[in-house]
Amino acid sequence: MGITPQAMLADHRDEIERAAAHLRAGRLVAIPTETVYGLAADASNARAVAEVFQIKARPHFDPLIVHIADRVMIPKLVTDFPPLAETLTRRFWPGPLTLVLPRIPDAVPDIVTAGLDTVALRMPDHPLTLAVLQRTGRPLAAPSANRFGRISPTTAAHVRDELGDRIAMVLDGGPCRTGIESTVVSLAGDRPTLLRPGGTPVEAIEAIIGPLADPEVSAGTAAPASPGMLERHYAPGTPLQLMSHPPTSPPRVEGRLGLLMPQPCRDVDVSVYSQVELLSASGDLTEAATNLFAAMRRLDEAGLTLIIAITAPQSGLGIAINDRLRRAAMR
Ligand code: TXA
Ligand code: MG
């Protein structure tokens, strides 16, 4: 694919230095990752992290992921890195997998972890952000760089539109390759538990470590909480209705309809819709995930009355796509 990581680093040397200087001074920088753009702050600086919550209008009970570029950071942050964590990170880091582990009490300020006794760790797979992490020399706390509850940004332009001049810098690393947030797995409870489906397919994880517990099934037991997963989220301003097939006769609404399809559907009368977004013409769910959030933004900007979204097959990245669509459809 086009430009090599080395060429990208050479092209962005000054910007990497500027980003690291801002972060070390306690300012906020939007960073590219393979999943979505993050709004980064020095994780050891409580005041900088507080500003992240303020700019996103994010509730303080929802903890942030701590990003690292080097495994030497791990024992400074967590009390225990079990063999399962070793196995999973050897296979999937750098990449879209976040692990929740027991934290060392004062390793990061309480505001980062919302006071929980765990911390979420991730090593992102983007050459610019890995370089920024290395130059900053500190872990970075970074939620997705959108206002709370809204659609996550997958380009630098999305971040500029949404957070504009409220942050020191947007580091433009191109469009995000995976396009959907990391898979979050907790290794802090009795059993490995899936807290959020994401860019690493659940099947790929389960093939290595066996079945993951589902927090919704084990709710009320000793299952670890994922404070951020209770909410309506990833939501366009336009109402969105989720269906398993395009309706044979579309709902009679005043105004313009949009249609969001992860893959081609048979027997759709597209002439009924003012705007149609097909996420992958070949039906590839990985490609569909990459295109999901940008398509949701385009639909949201098209002045529609209602967006009809069709569910993906519930496998591979289809699981993460369906999770985001379900949350976008909540009112
Ligand atoms: O791909 C990603 O993970 C992106 C990029 C920027 O790295 N980040 C991201 O962050 O999606 P955010 O803040 O939008 O989502 C973090 C999720 C939330 O659902 C939060 O509740 C959960 O991770 N989380 C963070 N720390 C946790 C902890 N200690 N225990 C349980 N859940 C945690
Ligand atoms: Mg988010």
Side-chain angles (χ1 to χ4, degrees):
M1 268 223 342
I3 180 164
T4 65
Q6 289 77 10
M8 197 180 221
L9 283 176
D11 281 354
H12 290 77
R13 203 163 288 145
D14 292 350
E15 280 154 288
I16 291 165
E17 292 305 323
R18 263 203 303 136
H22 281 310
L23 288 162
R24 292 180 68 92
R27 289 186 286 267
L28 309 191
V29 175
I31 52 167
T33 82
E34 79 285 23
T35 59
V36 301
Y37 275 75
L39 178 58
D42 173 357
S44 62
N45 182 333
R47 200 198 45 72
V49 175
E51 208 181 325
V52 170
F53 280 90
Q54 199 215 325
I55 287 179
K56 278 192 60 118
R58 181 179 178 115
H60 282 268
F61 62 74
D62 192 0
L64 305 185
I65 294 172
V66 172
H67 296 69
I68 58 173
D70 194 324
R71 300 177 80 90
V72 299
M73 291 288 184
I74 295 171
K76 299 179 184 171
L77 294 165
V78 303
T79 54
D80 185 26
F81 200 70
L84 276 184
E86 197 64 46
T87 306
L88 287 175
T89 57
R90 292 284 170 205
R91 170 70 182 77
F92 295 113
W93 277 8
L97 176 67
T98 295
L99 293 183
V100 171
L101 292 157
R103 72 154 165 152
I104 294 173
D106 292 320
V108 288
D110 275 350
I111 187 170
V112 174
T113 62
L116 297 176
D117 52 13
T118 54
V119 62
L121 284 193
R122 153 160 151 79
M123 189 183 289
D125 189 13
H126 193 292
L128 297 190
T129 285
L130 288 171
V132 168
L133 277 161
Q134 252 134 17
R135 294 299 297 155
T136 308
R138 296 170 195 170
L140 296 176
S144 50
N146 51 282
R147 277 177 293 121
F148 186 71
R150 302 307 298 273
I151 303 167
S152 301
T154 53
T155 67
H158 293 165
V159 181
R160 286 190 209 102
D161 284 352
E162 190 146 335
L163 302 179
D165 43 19
R166 303 192 64 191
I167 58 181
M169 180 178 172
V170 179
L171 180 59
D172 188 344
C176 300
R177 193 160 29 89
T178 303
I180 206 158
E181 296 88 345
S182 61
T183 303
V184 182
V185 171
S186 173
L187 297 179
D190 301 339
R191 297 181 50 192
T193 302
L194 178 68
L195 299 184
R196 176 176 75 183
T200 300
V202 175
E203 296 93 327
I205 298 170
E206 293 189 327
I208 298 177
I209 66 165
L212 292 168
D214 176 341
E216 280 166 34
V217 174
S218 40
T221 68
S226 188
M229 293 310 284
L230 308 169
E231 307 297 307
R232 164 179 153 83
H233 226 114
Y234 313 103
T238 314
L240 182 146
Q241 191 179 335
L242 190 56
M243 302 184 145
S244 51
H245 303 284
T248 33
S249 55
R252 260 184 248 121
V253 292
E254 294 289 321
R256 290 150 47 83
L257 279 177
L259 180 65
L260 176 67
M261 296 189 292
Q263 55 182 21
C265 297
R266 266 182 289 143
D267 308 325
V268 204
D269 179 5
V270 291
S271 70
V272 176
Y273 300 94
S274 305
Q275 186 161 333
V276 176
E277 293 283 352
L278 172 59
L279 302 181
S280 170
S282 66
D284 175 351
L285 295 177
T286 302
E287 181 185 22
T290 304
N291 294 329
L292 174 67
F293 289 141
M296 279 170 65
R297 276 174 194 264
R298 284 192 297 271
L299 287 165
D300 205 20
E301 284 157 9
L304 304 167
T305 315
L306 176 69
I307 301 166
I308 293 178
I310 309 302
T311 50
Q314 187 69 3
S315 65
L317 290 200
I319 296 173
I321 292 173
N322 290 339
D323 170 78
R324 305 307 187 267
L325 290 177
R326 244 190 330 269
R327 289 172 206 285
M330 287 179 190
R331 285 287 129 180

